[in-house]
Amino acid sequence: MRASHWKAEPVSLSNEQVKQYNQDGYLFLPHVFSEEEIDALQAETARMSATDMPQRVLEEDGELVRTIYGSHEISDLFGRLVRDERALGPARQILGDVYVFQTKLNPKAPVRGDVWEWHQDYLYWSRDDGMLRPDVVNVAVLLDDVTEFNGPLFIIPGSHLSVLEDDTVTLREGWWSGRHADTADGRHKLEREALARTVDRHGLESITGPRGSVCLFHPCLLHASPPNLAPYFRTVIFIRYCSVGNVLEPVPHPRPEWLACRRPTTVEPLDGSLLTA
Ligand code: SIN
Ligand code: MN
């Protein structure tokens, strides 16, 4: 129990922190959620992982769970998490009123959890979903301790200001490829020269830290993650809060609502605590 570090009060970013987010494209906040809260979220993750449903996407082996989309609509607890001030507050501070565009829960499995290739999230959402502007804040909540060994997020600080549209090639149209909605190779591929150029300019960092921590990151921040070679899970939930004014344009083949929400309903802060229904 790391109770001495735990702050249950709402997260309010200082001017300095907002400046840092705008400059680097990300911000790491350690020890935001308690051990008890993370245990409860982990139990829900295990329950959802065992449930066969379209939102549950498997790794190439057809066995391990790669992603669960829409957990905030499947589970009451995750539904409360997206309304919890500690997740929602920083997004509202940066964007004003927001809706949940997508949640993505990635329980990257011990030893065999697979890679996520380099990408900017916004390029997927603009190309696949008709999102007009990158007015989104990603709130990643670490549900496991994340180390250099279990497939942490790699990021390029400051890369959210790089326009890489012309350096990203769409390999396959359509969000569904066979069994997988979301394969390890990615559908919109960043060219290697553009990656090298961006790393040369800004360097590389990895997001590691204790479970219960939060990382806010910009939807244009270039990121990836390597396979998990440790014998432990690396579970992270990514909550994508989108400004209510940033509605999606019509597209010929809209993705399901659990992948790309087209109902910009303002998220209201939770009244009460995360663990109290
Ligand atoms: C993502 O970029 O969508 C997922 C990355 C990860 O889980 O490491
Ligand atoms: Mn991503």
Side-chain angles (χ1 to χ4, degrees):
M1 182 78 182
R2 300 184 184 91
S4 58
H5 297 287
W6 176 45
K7 31 182 185 34
E9 69 268 16
V11 173
S12 174
L13 305 178
S14 66
N15 290 342
E16 192 51 42
Q17 285 175 312
V18 174
K19 200 171 140 207
Q20 201 181 327
Y21 175 84
N22 288 330
Q23 182 182 298
D24 298 340
Y26 81 101
L27 188 67
F28 188 79
L29 306 168
H31 302 295
V32 174
F33 291 90
S34 71
E35 292 287 306
E36 193 190 5
E37 290 169 325
I38 297 299
D39 283 347
L41 290 162
Q42 281 282 13
E44 275 295 84
T45 303
R47 192 180 62 78
M48 287 188 287
S49 294
T51 309
D52 186 7
M53 53 188 165
Q55 294 92 329
R56 189 190 68 166
V57 177
L58 303 179
E59 299 278 14
E60 289 287 347
D61 67 3
E63 284 174 22
L64 297 170
V65 177
R66 178 166 174 77
T67 301
I68 299 167
Y69 285 104
S71 58
H72 65 297
E73 289 188 325
I74 298 165
S75 147
D76 287 347
L77 181 59
F78 278 94
R80 288 201 297 282
L81 176 67
V82 301
R83 296 174 54 211
D84 190 291
E85 278 282 18
R86 290 165 291 172
L88 174 62
R92 274 158 54 105
Q93 223 180 315
I94 292 166
L95 294 173
D97 281 349
V98 291
Y99 67 102
V100 178
F101 168 69
Q102 183 191 81
T103 62
K104 183 173 188 174
L105 172 60
N106 291 355
K108 195 185 275 192
V111 183
R112 282 156 59 216
D114 213 350
V115 64
W116 294 86
E117 294 277 5
W118 285 103
H119 64 281
Q120 290 175 311
D121 288 337
Y122 177 63
L123 271 185
Y124 276 75
W125 304 333
S126 63
R127 290 186 188 181
D128 292 351
D129 305 316
M131 188 185 280
L132 288 178
R133 293 184 303 277
D135 296 346
V136 175
V137 171
N138 264 305
V139 176
V141 183
L142 277 49
L143 303 187
D144 282 305
D145 292 337
V146 180
T147 69
E148 65 193 292
F149 304 112
N150 64 350
L153 209 61
F154 288 176
I155 58 135
I156 304 179
S159 59
H160 62 305
L161 301 175
S162 302
V163 179
L164 298 168
E165 174 88 43
D166 293 344
D167 303 290
T168 304
V169 181
T170 295
L171 299 179
R172 293 187 303 281
E173 296 292 344
W175 61 276
W176 186 264
S177 62
R179 194 177 56 235
H180 306 284
D182 214 342
T183 50
D185 59 346
R187 283 185 302 106
H188 304 294
K189 204 171 188 64
L190 178 69
E191 285 176 341
R192 198 165 293 176
E193 296 72 25
L195 174 64
R197 205 171 60 233
T198 315
V199 174
D200 282 351
R201 178 152 176 229
H202 298 286
L204 277 169
E205 283 177 26
S206 60
I207 304 297
T208 57
R211 69 194 208 132
S213 302
V214 166
C215 181
L216 314 176
F217 67 100
H218 190 281
C220 294
L221 190 78
L222 203 48
H223 62 282
S225 67
N228 180 1
L229 291 177
Y232 317 109
F233 278 96
R234 190 239 54 182
T235 310
V236 175
I237 174 145
F238 300 87
I239 307 169
R240 286 75 143 84
Y241 292 108
C242 184
S243 160
V244 286
N246 192 20
V247 290
L248 307 184
E249 296 257 273
V251 291
H253 304 289
R255 301 199 293 173
E257 283 282 324
W258 46 264
L259 264 172
C261 177
R262 291 182 169 271
R263 291 167 288 116
T265 312
T266 302
V267 186
E268 299 298 342
L270 186 64
D271 194 12
S273 76
L274 179 59
L275 296 185
T276 318

